[in-house]
Amino acid sequence: MRTNARSARIIPLALAAVLVGGLSATTAATAQARTETRATVQASARTTDAYYLRFDKGSVTNSRLELVERTPGRDKVIKTYKAGSGQVKNTCAVGKGWLPNAGASKPYAVQWHRKNFDGIINGFVIKISDRTCHNGTKRTELFIHSEMKPNGKQGTVESERWTNSGPNDYYSNGCIKLNPTNIKDLFKRLDHVGWPKKLYVVD
């Protein structure tokens, strides 16, 4: 009888522990869902159609990247940055041609951005969508970036060190390239006004 009585006391306690544990897990899951929902809303709030980027091709080492606001009548250029793109003007040259044009009917998509990217390129990086050039060659791994370490500081190797000693720093493997000061300024502005969804490329 004493054994049965002890079991009778243990079972409700165990059941209570399970119920409390389940309630805690449910509460935690609900809180996590709310947090994820807030994060999703905040991420959505950081993108906007009110602004876009436009790359105006001049030469591979001396072109212009513009932040543009959509306004009634004529759109307003908010900021212009010197930029490079590629090493040659052949838009179908994988890994060294400058970007193929992209007009109003089919702009590039601004897919994501990072301030601490760690790869072949580092630090402040904006990923744009792939593009097929006029002969059918697909251009991939297209970015707006600079030369810096993953933490945004200047390094010692060539790909992480901007010298401003000539046009060579503006050469890229087919991407859009800004100097470190300008890409950080661009990020600061876009963090404030919202990140555009589109990039247009013209010449």
Side-chain angles (χ1 to χ4, degrees), residues 100-111:
N101 284 7
S105 62
K106 194 177 180 182
Y108 291 86
V110 177
Q111 297 180 319

Side-chain angles (χ1 to χ4, degrees), residues 64-159:
R64 297 291 179 268
L65 180 67
E66 300 169 333
L67 170 59
V68 186
E69 181 181 8
R70 299 185 190 278
T71 56
R74 184 169 183 161
D75 293 347
K76 180 180 179 181
V77 176
I78 302 300
K79 185 71 175 182
T80 300
Y81 305 97
K82 180 180 178 180
S85 180
Q87 303 163 39
V88 297
K89 291 186 176 183
N90 179 2
T91 58
C92 298
V94 174
K96 63 179 182 179
W98 66 359
L99 289 180
N101 284 7
S105 62
K106 194 177 180 182
Y108 291 86
V110 177
Q111 297 180 319
W112 52 259
H113 59 278
R114 303 281 187 276
K115 293 181 180 178
N116 58 353
F117 191 74
D118 189 355
I120 297 176
I121 55 176
N122 296 318
F124 287 67
V125 172
I126 301 169
K127 177 67 175 68
I128 60 176
S129 55
D130 298 343
R131 178 66 43 149
T132 301
C133 74
H134 61 85
N135 72 4
T137 299
K138 190 173 183 179
R139 299 287 307 279
T140 62
E141 298 182 353
L142 303 177
F143 302 90
I144 302 171
H145 68 96
S146 186
E147 291 183 352
M148 61 181 66
K149 297 167 66 175
N151 62 8
K153 296 181 179 180
Q154 288 292 285
T156 56
V157 299
E158 197 283 327
S159 62

Side-chain angles (χ1 to χ4, degrees), residues 13-31:
L13 289 172
L15 181 58
V18 169
L19 290 174
V20 170
L23 181 59
S24 298
T26 302
T27 303
T30 303

